[in-house]
Amino acid sequence: MRALRKSKAAPGFTLERIAVPRVGPSDVLIRVGTVGLCGTDLHIYSWDHWAQRRVKPPLTIGHEFMGHVAAVGSAVHAVEVGDRVSAEGHIACGICRLCRTGQAHICEHVQIIGVDTDGAFADYIRMPEANVWKLDPSIPDSWAAVFDPLGNAVHTVMAADVSVKSVAITGVGSIGLMAIPVARAAGAATVFAIDVNPQKLALAARVGADATFLATQPDLVEDIVARTGGDGVDVLLEMSGSGSAIDSGLAMVRNGGVAALLGIPSDDIEINLAERIIFKGLTVLGINGRRMFETWYQTQSLVTNGRVDLGPIITHELPFEDFDRAFGLMKSGEAAKIVLTLNEANA
Amino acid sequence: MRALRKSKAAPGFTLERIAVPRVGPSDVLIRVGTVGLCGTDLHIYSWDHWAQRRVKPPLTIGHEFMGHVAAVGSAVHAVEVGDRVSAEGHIACGICRLCRTGQAHICEHVQIIGVDTDGAFADYIRMPEANVWKLDPSIPDSWAAVFDPLGNAVHTVMAADVSVKSVAITGVGSIGLMAIPVARAAGAATVFAIDVNPQKLALAARVGADATFLATQPDLVEDIVARTGGDGVDVLLEMSGSGSAIDSGLAMVRNGGVAALLGIPSDDIEINLAERIIFKGLTVLGINGRRMFETWYQTQSLVTNGRVDLGPIITHELPFEDFDRAFGLMKSGEAAKIVLTLNEANA
Amino acid sequence: MRALRKSKAAPGFTLERIAVPRVGPSDVLIRVGTVGLCGTDLHIYSWDHWAQRRVKPPLTIGHEFMGHVAAVGSAVHAVEVGDRVSAEGHIACGICRLCRTGQAHICEHVQIIGVDTDGAFADYIRMPEANVWKLDPSIPDSWAAVFDPLGNAVHTVMAADVSVKSVAITGVGSIGLMAIPVARAAGAATVFAIDVNPQKLALAARVGADATFLATQPDLVEDIVARTGGDGVDVLLEMSGSGSAIDSGLAMVRNGGVAALLGIPSDDIEINLAERIIFKGLTVLGINGRRMFETWYQTQSLVTNGRVDLGPIITHELPFEDFDRAFGLMKSGEAAKIVLTLNEANA
Amino acid sequence: MRALRKSKAAPGFTLERIAVPRVGPSDVLIRVGTVGLCGTDLHIYSWDHWAQRRVKPPLTIGHEFMGHVAAVGSAVHAVEVGDRVSAEGHIACGICRLCRTGQAHICEHVQIIGVDTDGAFADYIRMPEANVWKLDPSIPDSWAAVFDPLGNAVHTVMAADVSVKSVAITGVGSIGLMAIPVARAAGAATVFAIDVNPQKLALAARVGADATFLATQPDLVEDIVARTGGDGVDVLLEMSGSGSAIDSGLAMVRNGGVAALLGIPSDDIEINLAERIIFKGLTVLGINGRRMFETWYQTQSLVTNGRVDLGPIITHELPFEDFDRAFGLMKSGEAAKIVLTLNEANA
């Protein structure tokens, strides 16, 4: 089968032919239909420091996907051949305290597909039955392919509890953009979007932000505080990983508010804990992955009830072969979310 | 009346004679019985950078106290002359959104007695009726005098929710020490105490810590993680304000755990947000003051039900005139909590 | 001044001339502009058993209103003459444990205006400063007059937490109707409305219900369970007070769901606790009044952000003199919410 | 092997010889050591109406047990032969929404061992690997055998959140008795125990109740309300299933308090929802089973940290052969918890 691989410790990917994975008794083999491109894939493509420390070639990359069940192990009973599915890409151990208490998304023994183990940019992928998610037929392939990042947005929004609250989102890359309609659908009273990129802000306004702000605006914090009656926003959704965005983001939250952190800073950051968190009585939430499977049910509900429209956010749909062009579009900042098609449904 | 004052912008305090405060219609005049000494008082005494920025002399200092109602304003109806009382030292504005939604402890317009307005180290103090707390007769004067720091400990413990959980406390100064019996009474399964001072650790063990650790122990984090079955503690109560304690404290919390931050770092700290908070899915709580008046009801319950014993923590009871000696004992680290007596109950 | 009064223990009201109330130091005198009619007023009008037990004539009735501040007591500082205001009609004691811990809405010593003490159907009403709510200028008088029942709806919806959840509302009288746009704005995924009255169901659909159901539909529970994928709804908002609606409402909630009860049954009801609550692991919330003042801030946010439209629900705006006709319209079931105008803003 | 069976639809049990169960790939075969007797077993023994409706003979009964792993299926990896274990007796489907979102304890497709499928009163029992719980070596066999009812008590106490709260327990049968030390260990400020049986109340006092009350005491509610400063208790743990206990229990909870219902009424009950739940703003929690496996971790923590002592509650330890005598002791009310030994550890 075809597979997009990190063959050796160097920049770039190669399209190779490798064997179809074998399935164990509790595994499901999925013929991959459509995949989504993530910033993580670009890190591995570029072979930056994070990638060099974490990834051990050779490895098939990719973790955002949908497809159809092609085979099932002998003990599988929740899905059958032909089912249209996506899957949770964090493979948890299933036996630790966190896994046994509904917190598998922060299992310490997690293996992430496309990072720690063979991923989804291939004709077939093997997944444990427990990770597979059956798709509602009303969901388009391109949307189903990006349930992973959409789930990140949903997890962040739902953890922060935005119902009838004012919300600021720092960083509107593809997940930050998705968080806008998700927050609106989840009941946010107002959504402010902040970024360094004016094009992303234009897209943010298009998908439902009530107001948008350049991160470089000198009186950004004062402006946003003024728009909330002088209190500050109830909720910050931090999706940039930038130290300065985190600092100004925390500054614009009202006393007693909530800051949910999803963006990953590449280095240590300096923070004035006393002024930004302690005296304010803030609640700061570290967010990782997607709750299994509460986030998936919520994501499905938002999409099937028509509350969230990914149309404007999926800016490019390309054939799998154009992966190099796709990574170029990502790097340029021109694209929001790109999906690639490997196999048609009835192929 | 006598008053211990910061008369000018320089180290030290002076004992002066000033006029008894006048009470407005909603005010209560309290004849001060016993007061507690706090690290904040020592900062003002020493006239460090924080004090120079915050405090405007002349000012009567002190915020931990108990006494008896000596006079009431015309509109006061909740207390009467002769009532034995303590008081919440954070004077909130009463009309902002936070005050009107049960979050007065983080009112942005707060005035703290002994810091922003005349305090309790005097024969009389004037307090708004809304801040006064009637004392149960079973509570000794010396305990009642320190309901403010005890309330900090109670607020931190209750915000973190320690019931049937493992708890680490970083920093066992007087509030950290108080947090030990409070956490035990609130249902903590195990309490680990960490400090740089072996004498404080000995006192920590005496008031109920299950195990104590020098902060300098090289394998501190690994040791504590091992004692929780390899997961890490459920809850961190950070009471030191030290950057390295915060870092190792966060490292020893299990994925999905809670860190309640009460200690105030004097400067910005460097933090690896990704490893310490985000990937772990931590909840970090900034803690300030005491919830008005939920914390006071909880504090009263803990003391009157005999669940918390402050006896070993109040290491010194001295007459008011010995205040210089008292600050010397504080500076030396010899004392845990010191109280001073101004006026006997029936004086 | 004019006042609509229950003069004696018998059906009906009389329009009388009485003295304008005097204000104490902490009181506010409000010139009443517009008032809303509530089912409670109709109970007192009809002089039913509940009214006979609770109300002690003579009494000015009415508790839903808005107006302008006409005078303030000497100690009042949060509002001034001329301010456009509404007010919380539950006058709490302010000194009990519930009042001091942010739960004044369930103070045991509460006095309700128009029920226990003189109400708002008069040219002037006296309110404690603490109860007064300044109105945003963008809110129409007729909407401001019904912040009390709208607040009941908001309190119920927010207590139940409907964000990205399926919701059933049993009983769409005026509060149930208001709960529909409130639930949608607060993030409900789907809203099902159930009532015995087809006209109310038509209005329910108009204000945002995704589907409506006659309470008499034989397979009602099965139908609703089927529409939620076989699980049942996440949340029940019970606003009818009917024993059979409560029973079928609880039956249609999924295991682990939430039922918020606002409707007041007139008698004891029979309930199968084992099947309806215990085995299902339900959370049942008793809802009373409005949280002071969290609910008011939420209500204001929903209205000023344009998320809730009361237009279709306020079916009748009449002059104060037409009160008899108004109660007739209420009795007939023809009206949803009726407001009466006493004094124009600049009168 | 030996098995205590309900062979036919009539009162009594018979000790029979049947085949040892076969294990599938995900199953574990456990050699049963010690078992606990539950009221449910007595219902089946007596063949009352509930049992006649629910139980389909022939069936091996019993659901409280501990033992040692005797064999494992080919796909089992969490336990191995020789491990000392107990097990969750609710076998959930594993694939429904509740099971996939951490709420397997209320799975609608649950099968209970000893009720719906063959149980533990036999030399061997087959359990799914997912249900098996490895025991800490410090836990005595007789305690390990009753982790099921102890877990009911822990689930109820933890759901209600008793930390620094006043608690009333209505009904101190064996689970109610267990709830006393559990509530104390979880941080309850005070625990009041109420029952019709003076011997049970004496035992309640022995295991930590601060005060005990006969349910027939005429001024019971007033007495308990007076002991909480006139407010009522913060938390009710209802463990009797009696309609009158539920009514008086709800009456003694303070406004805004929590009532956790575990006891199962045998019939519909009459309830004044308005006075008992709605106006009071109560939160009522239906409690079922044990959270998988949060409750098990909490139970283990309470026992291994020495916070809970089951010694006085396990009143009888008898050999398996004495089961008829054991059911007689249960019926008489003489026993609290009875355990029976089938096989010694090294048999």
Side-chain angles (χ1 to χ4, degrees):
Chain A
M1 67 174 192
R2 297 172 297 171
L4 196 60
R5 305 268 287 176
K6 189 74 175 179
S7 334
K8 55 179 193 293
F13 292 137
T14 52
L15 188 57
E16 302 178 18
R17 293 231 148 235
I18 61 170
V20 171
R22 292 178 177 222
V23 295
S26 303
D27 291 333
V28 174
L29 185 72
I30 301 166
R31 180 166 172 83
V32 177
T34 303
V35 300
L37 261 58
C38 172
T40 299
D41 302 323
L42 188 57
H43 287 297
I44 302 175
Y45 185 90
S46 310
W47 202 236
D48 66 9
H49 286 113
W50 172 84
Q52 291 175 34
R53 280 196 310 270
R54 176 73 178 261
V55 176
K56 311 286 171 225
L59 183 86
T60 302
I61 53 132
H63 55 275
E64 305 178 0
F65 77 100
M66 58 74 58
H68 290 80
V69 173
V72 297
S74 56
V76 169
H77 58 298
V79 291
E80 55 189 37
V81 172
D83 282 347
R84 187 164 163 271
V85 298
S86 182
E88 168 57 52
H90 285 207
I91 302 177
C93 78
I95 61 175
C96 74
R97 176 180 167 194
L98 292 163
C99 284
R100 291 194 98 183
T101 55
Q103 302 172 83
H105 64 294
I106 42 175
C107 167
E108 293 208 34
H109 312 292
V110 71
Q111 297 259 306
I112 303 180
I113 60 168
V115 175
D116 302 312
T117 183
D118 277 340
F121 291 177
D123 284 322
Y124 293 92
I125 183 171
R126 174 183 58 208
M127 294 298 297
E129 174 188 20
N131 282 55
V132 177
W133 181 260
K134 285 171 77 166
L135 290 163
D136 187 277
S138 69
I139 303 168
D141 283 4
S142 59
W143 296 26
V146 298
F147 261 37
D148 173 298
L150 179 57
N152 290 135
V154 171
H155 182 189
T156 310
V157 167
M158 297 308 291
D161 180 14
V162 301
S163 183
V164 192
K165 291 184 179 161
S166 53
V167 176
I169 302 177
T170 41
V172 285
S174 56
I175 297 180
L177 284 170
M178 289 170 177
I180 295 169
V182 169
R184 288 293 304 269
T190 45
V191 177
F192 302 126
I194 301 153
D195 203 297
V196 292
N197 181 333
Q199 286 159 282
K200 293 284 166 66
L201 290 177
L203 196 43
R206 193 172 152 211
V207 297
D210 293 282
T212 63
F213 304 84
L214 272 172
T216 51
Q217 180 183 323
D219 64 342
L220 174 65
V221 171
E222 294 73 13
D223 189 0
I224 286 184
V225 168
R227 286 162 185 261
T228 55
D231 292 321
V233 292
D234 297 310
V235 172
L236 169 71
L237 307 178
E238 209 303 299
M239 299 188 155
S240 73
S242 145
S244 63
I246 292 168
D247 185 64
S248 63
L250 292 171
M252 67 182 66
V253 181
R254 72 165 170 84
N255 284 10
V258 172
L261 309 183
L262 180 76
I264 303 296
S266 47
D267 293 297
D268 286 10
I269 67 159
E270 286 217 340
I271 187 165
N272 185 331
L273 277 185
E275 292 296 333
R276 291 287 179 262
I277 294 178
I278 299 174
F279 291 138
K280 296 180 81 155
L282 285 206
T283 297
V284 177
L285 306 172
I287 306 291
N288 186 30
R290 294 147 298 280
R291 291 190 70 92
M292 302 171 202
F293 280 86
E294 192 178 0
T295 303
W296 287 81
Y297 283 98
Q298 292 164 336
T299 304
Q300 172 183 267
S301 167
L302 288 164
V303 169
T304 58
N305 284 306
R307 303 290 195 236
V308 167
D309 177 11
L310 296 182
I313 297 171
I314 300 175
T315 51
H316 296 75
E317 301 197 36
L318 301 172
F320 184 49
E321 291 70 22
D322 290 358
F323 64 87
D324 267 323
R325 185 183 151 218
F327 282 107
L329 284 164
M330 271 189 83
K331 254 191 240 185
S332 74
E334 200 176 324
K337 175 56 74 179
I338 303 172
V339 298
L340 307 178
T341 302
L342 279 88
N343 297 289
E344 298 297 331
N346 52 0
Chain B
M1 67 172 193
R2 298 172 297 170
L4 196 60
R5 305 268 288 175
K6 189 72 174 181
S7 333
K8 54 180 195 290
F13 293 137
T14 52
L15 187 58
E16 301 178 20
R17 293 231 146 235
I18 60 169
V20 171
R22 291 179 177 220
V23 295
S26 302
D27 291 334
V28 174
L29 185 72
I30 301 166
R31 181 166 172 83
V32 178
T34 303
V35 299
L37 262 57
C38 172
T40 299
D41 303 322
L42 188 58
H43 288 297
I44 302 175
Y45 185 90
S46 310
W47 203 235
D48 65 9
H49 286 112
W50 171 83
Q52 292 176 32
R53 282 196 309 270
R54 175 73 178 262
V55 176
K56 310 288 172 223
L59 182 86
T60 302
I61 53 132
H63 56 275
E64 305 177 0
F65 77 100
M66 59 73 58
H68 290 79
V69 174
V72 297
S74 57
V76 168
H77 57 298
V79 291
E80 54 189 39
V81 171
D83 281 348
R84 187 164 163 269
V85 298
S86 182
E88 168 56 52
H90 286 207
I91 301 177
C93 77
I95 61 176
C96 74
R97 177 180 167 193
L98 292 164
C99 284
R100 291 194 99 183
T101 55
Q103 304 172 84
H105 64 294
I106 43 175
C107 167
E108 293 210 33
H109 312 291
V110 72
Q111 296 258 305
I112 303 180
I113 60 168
V115 175
D116 303 311
T117 184
D118 277 340
F121 292 176
D123 284 322
Y124 293 92
I125 183 169
R126 176 184 57 209
M127 294 297 298
E129 175 188 19
N131 283 56
V132 177
W133 181 261
K134 285 171 77 167
L135 290 164
D136 187 277
S138 70
I139 304 169
D141 284 4
S142 59
W143 296 26
V146 298
F147 260 39
D148 173 297
L150 179 57
N152 290 135
V154 171
H155 182 189
T156 311
V157 166
M158 296 309 292
D161 181 13
V162 301
S163 184
V164 192
K165 291 184 180 163
S166 53
V167 175
I169 302 177
T170 41
V172 286
S174 56
I175 298 179
L177 284 170
M178 289 170 177
I180 295 168
V182 169
R184 288 292 303 270
T190 45
V191 177
F192 302 126
I194 301 153
D195 203 297
V196 292
N197 180 333
Q199 287 159 281
K200 293 285 167 64
L201 291 177
L203 196 43
R206 196 173 149 209
V207 297
D210 293 282
T212 63
F213 304 83
L214 272 172
T216 51
Q217 180 182 323
D219 63 344
L220 174 66
V221 172
E222 294 74 11
D223 189 358
I224 286 183
V225 168
R227 284 162 187 260
T228 56
D231 291 320
V233 292
D234 296 309
V235 171
L236 170 70
L237 307 178
E238 208 304 300
M239 298 189 157
S240 72
S242 144
S244 63
I246 292 168
D247 185 64
S248 63
L250 291 171
M252 68 182 65
V253 180
R254 71 165 172 84
N255 283 10
V258 171
L261 309 183
L262 180 76
I264 305 296
S266 47
D267 293 298
D268 286 10
I269 67 161
E270 287 216 338
I271 187 166
N272 184 330
L273 276 186
E275 293 295 334
R276 289 289 178 261
I277 294 177
I278 300 174
F279 291 139
K280 294 180 81 154
L282 285 206
T283 297
V284 178
L285 306 171
I287 307 291
N288 187 30
R290 293 146 298 280
R291 291 190 71 91
M292 301 171 203
F293 280 86
E294 192 179 1
T295 304
W296 288 80
Y297 283 98
Q298 292 164 337
T299 303
Q300 172 182 267
S301 166
L302 288 164
V303 169
T304 58
N305 284 307
R307 303 291 195 236
V308 166
D309 177 10
L310 296 182
I313 297 172
I314 300 175
T315 51
H316 297 75
E317 302 197 35
L318 302 171
F320 183 48
E321 291 70 22
D322 290 358
F323 64 87
D324 266 322
R325 187 183 149 216
F327 282 106
L329 284 163
M330 271 190 83
K331 253 191 240 185
S332 74
E334 201 176 324
K337 176 56 74 178
I338 303 172
V339 298
L340 306 178
T341 302
L342 279 89
N343 296 291
E344 298 296 330
N346 52 0
Chain C
M1 67 172 194
R2 297 172 297 170
L4 197 60
R5 305 270 287 177
K6 190 73 175 183
S7 333
K8 54 180 195 291
F13 293 137
T14 53
L15 188 58
E16 302 178 19
R17 293 232 147 233
I18 61 169
V20 171
R22 292 176 178 222
V23 294
S26 303
D27 291 334
V28 174
L29 185 72
I30 301 165
R31 182 166 171 84
V32 178
T34 303
V35 299
L37 261 58
C38 172
T40 299
D41 303 323
L42 189 57
H43 287 295
I44 302 175
Y45 185 90
S46 312
W47 203 235
D48 66 10
H49 286 113
W50 172 83
Q52 292 176 31
R53 281 196 311 270
R54 175 72 178 261
V55 176
K56 311 289 171 221
L59 183 86
T60 302
I61 53 131
H63 55 275
E64 305 178 0
F65 77 101
M66 58 73 60
H68 290 79
V69 174
V72 297
S74 56
V76 168
H77 57 299
V79 291
E80 54 188 39
V81 171
D83 282 349
R84 186 164 164 271
V85 299
S86 182
E88 167 59 49
H90 285 207
I91 302 178
C93 78
I95 61 175
C96 73
R97 177 180 167 192
L98 292 163
C99 285
R100 292 194 98 184
T101 55
Q103 303 172 84
H105 65 294
I106 43 175
C107 167
E108 293 209 34
H109 312 292
V110 71
Q111 296 258 305
I112 303 179
I113 60 169
V115 175
D116 302 311
T117 184
D118 277 341
F121 292 177
D123 285 320
Y124 293 92
I125 183 170
R126 175 184 58 209
M127 294 296 298
E129 175 189 18
N131 283 54
V132 178
W133 181 260
K134 286 171 76 166
L135 290 163
D136 188 277
S138 70
I139 303 168
D141 283 4
S142 60
W143 296 26
V146 297
F147 260 38
D148 173 297
L150 179 57
N152 290 136
V154 171
H155 182 189
T156 311
V157 167
M158 297 308 292
D161 181 13
V162 302
S163 183
V164 192
K165 291 183 179 164
S166 53
V167 175
I169 302 177
T170 42
V172 286
S174 56
I175 298 180
L177 284 170
M178 290 170 176
I180 295 168
V182 169
R184 288 292 304 269
T190 45
V191 177
F192 302 126
I194 301 152
D195 204 297
V196 292
N197 181 332
Q199 287 159 281
K200 293 284 167 66
L201 291 177
L203 197 43
R206 195 173 150 209
V207 297
D210 293 282
T212 63
F213 304 83
L214 273 172
T216 51
Q217 179 182 323
D219 64 344
L220 174 66
V221 171
E222 294 73 13
D223 188 359
I224 286 184
V225 168
R227 285 161 186 261
T228 56
D231 292 321
V233 293
D234 297 309
V235 171
L236 169 71
L237 307 178
E238 208 303 299
M239 298 189 156
S240 73
S242 145
S244 64
I246 292 168
D247 185 64
S248 63
L250 292 171
M252 67 183 65
V253 181
R254 72 164 171 84
N255 283 11
V258 171
L261 309 183
L262 181 76
I264 304 296
S266 47
D267 293 299
D268 286 10
I269 66 160
E270 286 218 338
I271 186 165
N272 184 332
L273 277 185
E275 292 296 333
R276 290 289 179 263
I277 294 177
I278 299 174
F279 292 139
K280 294 180 82 154
L282 285 207
T283 297
V284 178
L285 305 172
I287 307 291
N288 185 30
R290 294 146 297 280
R291 291 190 72 91
M292 301 170 202
F293 280 86
E294 192 178 0
T295 303
W296 288 81
Y297 284 98
Q298 291 163 337
T299 304
Q300 172 183 267
S301 167
L302 287 163
V303 170
T304 59
N305 285 306
R307 304 289 195 236
V308 166
D309 177 10
L310 296 183
I313 297 171
I314 300 174
T315 51
H316 297 74
E317 302 196 36
L318 301 172
F320 184 48
E321 291 70 23
D322 290 357
F323 66 88
D324 266 322
R325 187 183 150 217
F327 283 107
L329 284 163
M330 271 190 82
K331 253 191 243 186
S332 74
E334 201 177 324
K337 175 57 74 179
I338 303 172
V339 298
L340 307 178
T341 302
L342 278 90
N343 297 289
E344 297 298 330
N346 51 0
Chain D
M1 67 173 192
R2 296 172 299 170
L4 196 61
R5 306 268 288 176
K6 189 74 175 181
S7 334
K8 55 180 195 291
F13 293 137
T14 52
L15 188 58
E16 302 178 18
R17 292 232 148 234
I18 61 169
V20 171
R22 292 177 177 223
V23 294
S26 303
D27 291 333
V28 173
L29 185 72
I30 301 165
R31 182 165 172 83
V32 178
T34 304
V35 299
L37 261 59
C38 172
T40 298
D41 303 322
L42 188 58
H43 287 297
I44 302 175
Y45 185 90
S46 309
W47 203 235
D48 66 10
H49 286 113
W50 172 84
Q52 292 176 33
R53 282 196 311 270
R54 175 73 179 261
V55 176
K56 311 287 171 224
L59 182 86
T60 302
I61 54 131
H63 55 275
E64 306 177 0
F65 77 100
M66 59 73 59
H68 290 79
V69 174
V72 296
S74 56
V76 169
H77 58 300
V79 291
E80 54 189 39
V81 171
D83 281 348
R84 187 163 162 270
V85 298
S86 181
E88 168 58 51
H90 286 207
I91 301 177
C93 78
I95 61 175
C96 73
R97 176 180 167 193
L98 292 163
C99 284
R100 290 195 100 184
T101 55
Q103 302 172 85
H105 64 295
I106 44 175
C107 167
E108 293 210 34
H109 312 292
V110 70
Q111 296 259 306
I112 303 179
I113 60 168
V115 174
D116 303 311
T117 183
D118 277 340
F121 292 176
D123 284 321
Y124 293 91
I125 183 170
R126 174 183 60 210
M127 294 298 297
E129 174 188 21
N131 283 55
V132 177
W133 181 260
K134 286 170 77 166
L135 291 163
D136 187 278
S138 69
I139 303 168
D141 283 4
S142 59
W143 295 26
V146 297
F147 260 39
D148 173 299
L150 179 57
N152 290 135
V154 171
H155 182 190
T156 311
V157 166
M158 296 309 292
D161 180 13
V162 301
S163 184
V164 192
K165 291 184 179 161
S166 53
V167 175
I169 302 177
T170 41
V172 286
S174 56
I175 298 179
L177 284 170
M178 288 170 177
I180 295 169
V182 168
R184 287 292 305 270
T190 45
V191 177
F192 302 126
I194 301 153
D195 204 297
V196 292
N197 180 334
Q199 287 159 281
K200 293 283 167 65
L201 291 177
L203 196 43
R206 195 174 151 206
V207 297
D210 293 282
T212 63
F213 304 83
L214 272 172
T216 52
Q217 181 182 324
D219 64 343
L220 174 65
V221 171
E222 294 73 13
D223 189 359
I224 286 183
V225 168
R227 286 162 186 260
T228 56
D231 293 320
V233 293
D234 297 308
V235 171
L236 170 71
L237 307 178
E238 208 303 299
M239 298 188 155
S240 74
S242 145
S244 64
I246 292 168
D247 185 64
S248 63
L250 291 170
M252 68 182 66
V253 180
R254 72 164 170 85
N255 283 10
V258 171
L261 309 183
L262 180 76
I264 304 297
S266 47
D267 292 299
D268 286 10
I269 67 161
E270 287 216 338
I271 187 164
N272 184 330
L273 276 186
E275 292 295 334
R276 290 289 179 261
I277 294 178
I278 299 174
F279 292 138
K280 295 180 81 155
L282 285 206
T283 297
V284 178
L285 305 171
I287 307 291
N288 187 30
R290 292 146 300 279
R291 291 190 71 91
M292 302 171 201
F293 281 86
E294 191 179 1
T295 304
W296 289 81
Y297 284 98
Q298 291 164 336
T299 303
Q300 172 183 269
S301 166
L302 287 164
V303 169
T304 59
N305 284 305
R307 303 291 195 234
V308 166
D309 177 10
L310 296 182
I313 297 171
I314 301 175
T315 51
H316 297 76
E317 301 197 37
L318 302 172
F320 184 49
E321 291 71 23
D322 290 358
F323 65 87
D324 266 324
R325 186 183 150 216
F327 282 107
L329 284 164
M330 272 190 82
K331 252 192 240 185
S332 74
E334 200 177 324
K337 174 58 72 178
I338 302 172
V339 298
L340 307 178
T341 302
L342 279 89
N343 297 290
E344 298 297 329
N346 51 0

